[in-house]
Amino acid sequence: MPKYKLRADELRSKDLAELRKLLEDQRAELVTLRQKAAAGALESPARVREVRKNIARILTIMREKAASQQAAKSETR
């Protein structure tokens, strides 16, 4: 069984545009998985949980980057 977990260190190496695209893709996948689950055709129920965790990881990294940018701006003032 392939692993779908996105690693935090891999996410931190991406810029915000790449993270936004990845977030959009993960959210679209979650919608698809939820539709399959409702129809009873879901192959791996654990995949839904993994995608939700991936979304949380991406949002966390995006918030970290935003906070570090704010800190850098306040230091230059």
Side-chain angles (χ1 to χ4, degrees):
M1 181 170 145
K3 300 217 178 205
Y4 301 101
K5 181 177 177 181
L6 297 174
R7 295 174 44 107
D9 58 342
E10 293 171 0
L11 294 174
R12 284 189 179 96
S13 67
K14 298 182 184 295
D15 64 357
L16 281 176
E18 290 174 320
L19 288 173
R20 283 189 195 106
K21 174 67 174 134
L22 191 56
L23 179 63
E24 182 181 312
D25 293 343
Q26 290 290 303
R27 284 184 170 162
E29 184 176 355
L30 183 59
V31 169
T32 302
L33 289 171
R34 285 181 173 163
Q35 289 172 345
K36 286 182 181 179
L42 189 60
E43 295 174 11
S44 174
R47 181 71 181 126
V48 174
R49 183 175 183 209
E50 193 64 47
V51 171
R52 285 183 21 229
K53 285 186 173 190
N54 286 341
I55 290 171
R57 271 188 207 97
I58 294 167
L59 290 172
T60 299
I61 302 299
M62 289 173 72
R63 286 184 186 109
E64 285 177 0
K65 287 182 181 271
S68 67
Q69 288 175 354
Q70 282 287 11
K73 284 182 183 178
S74 66
E75 287 179 6
T76 59
R77 289 183 182 183

